[in-house]
Amino acid sequence: MFSSLISKLGTLKPCVLCESASVKNKLSLCIDCWEYLKVEPFHIIKQDISILATTRYQYPINKLIQKFKYNHQLQYLKLFSDLLDQLTIPNVQAIVAMPISITRLHDRGYNQAQLLAKIIAKKHRLPLWEPIERIKEHSQKGQSRTERLTNNIQQQFRIKDKQGIKYRRVLIVDDVVTTGSSIQALKLRLEQIGCKHIHVICIAAVE
Ligand SMILES: [Zn+2]
């Protein structure tokens, strides 16, 4: 009886940050924590690419993302998808998650960007498209420092051998964007297989 009442009200689940049972909205945070996170979606240009983020990469969101990414704290997934829900998703045909290498995937057990991308894809009834893979770095012998820096990141991204259906308008989902160099490298590969309109969203971005 009591438990069914709780589920009906849906207001007594604890806030994922402060654990107070005062979550009044449908989101995973209480109102105080929501304000504390300073969720103010903004656009930023990195490497000539326009990126839409839910907030700046600052405390406490940076700590939460690090826990989510490196400490298997997957309970934050709901919070992050709530945050991404604050963004207006552009008109696209498919969702592309920022890929991570197989080595990293084995170490971590999951790709945090892919977890977010799956939720967005499901919510907007769009396919999750994975035409690009991230591979181990190539040998960089005999290259200048600048060449190494530019080629390194680009060479980490490879177009998969088998290409099925292709999309022209896609949305890249990443957790954090710092320099934007991995976004740029992924975008270039997507363009090589015919993407024309590439949008980017992330939880947090560095200004
Ligand atoms: Zn709270």
Side-chain angles (χ1 to χ4, degrees), residues 9-205:
L9 289 171
T11 54
L12 296 181
K13 63 177 181 165
C15 166
V16 297
L17 269 190
C18 67
E19 292 177 2
S20 79
S22 58
V23 176
K24 290 205 173 61
N25 47 26
K26 286 184 192 132
L27 303 167
S28 39
L29 292 185
C30 69
I31 288 165
D32 287 348
C33 286
W34 188 255
E35 281 176 9
Y36 187 55
L37 272 188
K38 299 186 197 78
V39 180
E40 292 163 345
F42 71 107
H43 271 103
I44 191 162
I45 306 284
K46 299 260 184 187
Q47 318 278 353
D48 293 328
I49 303 163
S50 174
I51 293 151
L52 182 58
T54 71
T55 182
R56 271 128 187 112
Y57 190 61
Q58 62 196 0
Y59 185 83
I61 196 82
N62 55 356
K63 296 287 166 225
L64 299 181
I65 293 173
Q66 284 160 21
K67 285 182 182 177
F68 173 57
K69 219 164 155 169
Y70 306 113
N71 296 44
H72 289 84
Q73 307 261 321
L74 294 175
Q75 73 270 27
Y76 295 120
L77 187 59
K78 168 79 170 88
L79 165 64
F80 295 143
S81 62
D82 285 346
L83 290 176
L84 291 171
D85 261 353
Q86 306 298 303
L87 305 177
T88 307
I89 302 292
N91 180 19
V92 293
Q93 299 163 303
I95 305 291
V96 176
M98 172 59 71
I100 61 174
S101 71
I102 292 289
T103 318
R104 202 168 272 186
L105 189 62
H106 281 182
D107 290 347
R108 197 174 290 168
Y110 55 94
N111 172 358
Q112 73 287 346
Q114 191 195 47
L115 296 180
L116 295 166
K118 271 184 187 164
I119 293 174
I120 293 167
K122 193 176 172 192
K123 180 160 187 193
H124 295 270
R125 294 181 184 175
L126 290 165
L128 183 69
W129 189 37
E130 299 181 303
I132 311 294
E133 61 190 346
R134 200 158 182 175
I135 49 169
K136 269 178 89 175
E137 292 164 41
H138 288 289
S139 165
Q140 295 168 23
K141 277 182 189 165
Q143 295 180 339
S144 74
R145 189 181 137 77
T146 322
E147 277 174 338
R148 274 203 305 275
L149 288 174
T150 330
N151 292 339
N152 179 11
I153 189 88
Q154 195 58 60
Q155 286 174 5
Q156 287 181 25
F157 292 85
R158 190 170 64 187
I159 298 164
K160 284 186 185 170
D161 291 337
K162 280 191 181 154
Q163 293 290 321
I165 186 164
K166 286 181 179 159
Y167 301 98
R168 291 164 71 87
R169 287 178 284 116
V170 301
L171 177 68
I172 296 174
V173 177
D174 204 354
D175 52 343
V176 178
V177 174
T178 51
T179 63
S181 56
S182 52
I183 293 283
Q184 188 191 33
L186 175 60
K187 181 173 180 273
L188 185 76
R189 291 286 183 250
L190 288 169
E191 285 169 346
Q192 286 171 345
I193 53 171
C195 289
K196 296 288 178 205
H197 302 281
I198 300 166
H199 305 269
V200 182
I201 61 166
C202 62
I203 303 166

